[in-house]
Amino acid sequence: MKVVTVVGARPQFVKAAPVSRAIRARGQEVLVHTGQHYDQSMSDIFFEELQIPHPEYHLHVGSKSHGAQTGEMLTRVEEVLMKEKPDALLVYGDTNSTLAGALAAAKLHIPVAHVEAGLRSFNRRMPEEINRVLTDHVSRWLFCPTETAVRHLSSEGVTEGISLVGDVMLDVVNFNRKLAEERSHILSELAITPKSYLLVTLHRAENTDDPARLGAIVSALNELTMTAILPLHPRTVGKLEQFGLQITNPNVRVIPPVGYLDMLQLEVHASKILTDSGGVQKEAFFAQVPCITMRDETEWTETVELGTNVLVGANSAQILEMVEQFTVDFSEVPAAFGDGTTATQIVDILEKEL
Ligand code: UD1
Ligand code: UDP
């Protein structure tokens, strides 16, 4: 079994960690980093902490418009595939790196495996929605995290090659939770105590690129009365500056993006999490921390149905109300998103079929 894996953005490094480990135990993996994320704190730190193998190819594509970035990745991944001639190509999630990898392989008749298949927001204005729909429709193996994802695919006429394997991010949380507790000193570095702070992340284009939405979120943050820790994505740093918006509330501590172990530690010990991230919504669920999501819809509908996550859009009043009032009794919440063996299940299937 020879698999080319294409990653490029922070959430993909996290998801690739356990799957790369499982593939390399049984076959050959050629890891391609597109360079979509490139800052030390957005890329290298994940390879070091999660012990992801050094990429065999680094394409250094960097930040560009959607078309330029995806197009350059497509050309460069195609070159790698023609040289390496793998049995399959593996991609994760819904970024431009995902789409470029999948499209390059599909055109060369190399079968595509998509981890996190079938997710839908039904909002075609999100670049991620376009990326995931297109990737699913050229994939040979569709590894779905939830039954909802399986249903979405079947309603689009995709019924072959689907496997319900749970969510690979649970594998990663389980593997690293104790390590984070041992190795991360982020709480003492920030002089915060468990359950005394709100953890915030903010980076979705639909929020950051719309001055009205970003302004409403910033105005809610500026009203917060409890300590908030905000590891800020570089996209958002740029957009705040561009729109002349400032976080002036001394309760909100804006810090650079943190590594995975620090992030996990911050998540596990937060009193609540306020986010627009996909991955962080699920990690809040695994950490049993109430999640307030600054989006109008979510792909992770199970978290809302189970009552652990609430959608507040970019509405200042709702954000502040939920930060005050939203609580969850996790003793009533059943497990979801599989059993933490997703990486092994994926590699079992690939090994059997290749
Ligand atoms: C991308 C994904 C998004 C995912 C997010 C995870 C797409 C279309 N979007 O969004 O689905 O949730 O990654 O974090 O693929 N930048 C840096 N340094 C970096 C990386 C980015 O400064 O290492 C800045 C650049 O100004 C860049 C901007 O962030 O233009 C946006 O980066 P980009 O990769 O285009 O999109 P993300 O917002 O990171
Ligand atoms: N993450 C991190 N440090 C941060 C912010 C996020 O390690 O400062 C991790 C987070 O724990 C999760 C992943 O990055 O595992 C999610 O990535 P992101 O929110 O950028 O993307 P999304 O999941 O929304 O696509």
Side-chain angles (χ1 to χ4, degrees), residues 10 41 55 83 105 121 140 155 157 190 200 256 271 274 299 326:
R10 174 167 71 184
S41 62
K83 185 158 165 248
S121 65
R140 156 79 180 75
S155 73
L190 293 171
V200 187
S271 66
L274 176 66
E299 299 78 25
F326 187 51

Side-chain angles (χ1 to χ4, degrees), residues 75 90 110 128-129 166 256 281 311 326:
T75 311
L90 179 64
I110 295 167
E128 294 87 355
E129 186 78 352
Q281 289 175 63
L311 299 178
F326 187 51

